[in-house]
Amino acid sequence: MAQLDATIVNVSLPDLVATLHAPFSHIQWVVSGYLLALALTLPLNGWLVSRLGGRAVYLWCFGAFTLTSGLCALAWSAPSLIAFRLLQGMAGGLLAPMAQMTVARVAGRQMPRVASAMTAPVLLAPLLGPVVAGAILSIASWRWIFLLNVPVGLAAFILAVLFLPDDRHEERPRPLDLTGLGLLAPALVSFLYGMDHVTRPYGSATLGASLVLFVLYVRSARHKGDDALIDLRLLRAPAFSVSAVIMFLTNGVSFAGQMLLPVWLIHVCGVSPERTGLFMAPLGLGMMCVYPLIGRLSDQLDARNLTGCGALLSLVGTVILVVLAYSGLNVVLLTIALLLRGGGAGAVGIPAMSAGYASIARADIPMATTALNIMQRIGGPMLITACATFLGWRLATIAPSHVASEAYAETFGLLALFHGILLFATRCIKPLEKKRQFGSNLSRSDTDLRK
């Protein structure tokens, strides 16, 4: 539901402007405010689970998201809708990490197989958002876009009550790090906002303030250790640190590519917006083809080789985009490039996340989930801004004798560089197969010794 609501409202923005009698500059906060609020509650994930238990937090998230969705449908003005969307985003911000944490706790070594099965609907939701919204708006008002969540949320709440085990006995209550919360939550929100508006003076100032808050949080967390909002000692585990970097880069190159491709197709290749959506379809198709196979591939390849193959495929697909930007649009080559990028991204994220979870104790999973989600959230806007800023600079400085496609080709080249860094990061994952073999040899030696 949270992923669907990130895109389903986009199609209804013109209707909101007309029915709520507000300018577009205000109405766009219905989307922007929701995305920012998604990051606001992330730091609370570990503490809430330690105090209430994972099952209780999950139920509260479903209940709050369903309730705020109904309030959004009843909004009477633009300010009221924006306020309800902020509350909805704060509840939705915990849904994804809570789902990951719940799966990580019970999956064990089957994490790649289980995660590949549960990721498919999460991937489909943003793609289906505009389609669902268009179907609803063709027969009803924009309010039904939010009312759609009510029966789904109630069904999810009932299923969680019936099937999620009570885990309160497993949790160790921790004090709330108010200092860390006061530093990290505004740091995340201001960082995402500043990255989206970095070309403007107030955006750069906001970004600078967020970096200061991050530094202050690191100092505070190092001093508090295990009592910190996010225990930074988790990063001492090399496998977990590498996993966090890979999640950051994977999310970043994915979102940056999704930003660059439509702009290039529309403004340089002259493709209509409707056809652009069709041309982008192979990207999601590549992901959907790979995700069901991740579990089987994880049984045959270790995480380093599997993520390395995925990163290499994505890099090859991006290099094809560089060639297309220089030579001109070729639909067949574009389809191949997007299939490679989508399939490659699908083969990187889940094995890297599984390797990170495998390197830490079960009790640290809630806090690790929060850390991985934060790295994912900031990766997208950071690499999007880097590519957008570079593209704007090249378009402004390019010689009149050169065409704009050269600037796009160079920007795709920058994106390929980020893919190269991702490929290098995947080679830093420690193979797990040797660990399993070593453990089995140790067991046999121990048995022989007892004999």
Side-chain angles (χ1 to χ4, degrees):
M1 291 193 300
Q3 296 297 323
L4 186 71
D5 270 46
T7 58
I8 195 172
V9 181
N10 293 343
V11 181
S12 66
L13 291 180
D15 282 356
L16 293 176
V17 171
T19 56
L20 297 179
H21 308 290
F24 185 82
S25 59
H26 292 173
I27 291 296
Q28 65 92 18
W29 277 100
V30 173
V31 176
S32 300
Y34 177 82
L35 295 177
L36 291 176
L38 286 176
L40 186 61
T41 51
L42 269 178
L44 284 173
N45 180 66
W47 177 79
L48 285 172
V49 172
S50 71
R51 299 293 296 184
L52 304 176
R55 180 177 184 269
V57 175
Y58 212 9
L59 291 175
W60 276 104
C61 289
F62 275 126
F65 193 89
T66 305
L67 176 62
T68 51
S69 296
L71 292 175
C72 288
L74 299 176
W76 57 90
S77 64
S80 65
L81 179 58
I82 293 171
F84 292 146
R85 280 284 282 178
L86 288 172
L87 295 175
Q88 187 190 34
M90 292 172 67
L94 290 174
L95 285 178
M98 287 303 303
Q100 290 179 16
M101 185 204 73
T102 304
V103 168
R105 281 179 159 182
V106 300
R109 290 187 176 181
Q110 299 298 322
M111 181 66 186
R113 186 182 298 274
V114 176
S116 65
M118 67 163 288
T119 306
V122 178
L123 282 175
L124 276 174
L127 298 175
L128 292 177
V131 178
V132 173
I136 292 176
L137 292 175
S138 64
I139 58 175
S141 74
W142 59 267
R143 299 182 186 275
W144 285 94
I145 289 177
F146 300 106
L147 288 174
L148 178 68
N149 288 327
V150 176
V152 178
L154 290 175
F157 188 89
I158 293 172
L159 290 172
V161 170
L162 293 176
F163 293 105
L164 287 186
D166 190 356
D167 59 348
R168 284 176 294 181
H169 62 281
E170 300 181 9
E171 307 303 341
R172 179 178 63 85
R174 301 169 54 245
L176 178 59
D177 180 12
L178 291 174
T179 303
L181 179 62
L183 292 172
L184 189 56
L188 283 172
V189 174
S190 57
F191 179 83
L192 295 177
Y193 181 85
M195 289 298 293
D196 283 339
H197 300 82
V198 71
T199 56
R200 301 178 182 180
Y202 64 85
S204 300
T206 305
L207 183 60
S210 71
L211 297 179
V212 173
L213 291 174
F214 276 124
V215 171
L216 293 176
Y217 174 78
V218 170
R219 293 185 58 183
S220 174
R222 292 180 63 183
H223 175 71
K224 294 188 176 183
D226 189 38
D227 291 330
L229 196 65
I230 297 178
D231 190 356
L232 297 181
R233 290 179 297 181
L234 289 174
L235 297 176
R236 294 179 183 176
F240 184 80
S241 299
V242 171
S243 176
V245 172
I246 291 174
M247 298 303 289
F248 170 88
L249 289 170
T250 302
N251 204 51
V253 295
S254 177
F255 276 86
Q258 292 179 41
M259 180 272 298
L260 286 173
L261 277 167
V263 178
W264 171 64
L265 288 171
I266 294 173
H267 292 286
V268 176
C269 302
V271 180
S272 65
E274 294 79 11
R275 293 183 64 199
T276 297
L278 294 176
F279 284 174
M280 295 284 289
L283 189 64
L285 182 62
M287 292 184 183
M288 295 304 299
C289 290
V290 169
Y291 268 113
L293 302 176
I294 289 297
R296 190 176 303 171
L297 292 173
S298 298
D299 293 338
Q300 301 173 0
L301 301 172
D302 59 43
R304 183 172 70 174
N305 291 332
L306 184 54
T307 56
C309 290
L312 180 61
L313 289 177
S314 296
L315 175 59
V316 172
T318 307
V319 171
I320 295 176
L321 294 179
V322 176
V323 175
L324 288 176
Y326 270 118
S327 61
L329 178 62
N330 182 301
V331 177
V332 175
L333 284 179
L334 177 64
T335 302
I336 294 173
L338 295 185
L339 285 172
L340 291 175
R341 277 180 55 84
V348 173
I350 290 177
M353 181 178 64
S354 303
Y357 280 128
S359 66
I360 60 173
R362 189 175 190 273
D364 293 328
I365 285 179
M367 197 165 290
T369 302
T370 304
L372 288 177
N373 272 271
I374 288 175
M375 291 297 289
Q376 276 186 291
R377 297 285 172 88
I378 65 178
M382 195 164 186
L383 295 196
I384 282 176
T385 303
C387 291
T389 303
F390 180 83
L391 177 61
W393 170 69
R394 289 300 295 135
L395 289 174
T397 58
I398 197 169
S401 57
H402 294 265
V403 293
S405 59
E406 183 176 327
Y408 283 90
E410 293 174 359
T411 308
F412 282 126
L414 176 63
L415 184 61
L417 175 62
F418 289 133
H419 277 282
I421 298 173
L422 173 61
L423 177 60
F424 174 78
T426 61
R427 307 314 298 165
C428 298
I429 296 178
K430 192 173 182 180
L432 298 178
E433 292 300 322
K434 291 183 179 180
K435 281 187 175 181
R436 293 175 186 170
Q437 186 179 359
F438 176 75
S440 61
N441 290 339
L442 198 63
S443 301
R444 285 195 294 270
S445 299
D446 189 50
T447 303
D448 295 338
L449 190 61
R450 283 198 299 270
K451 287 181 180 179

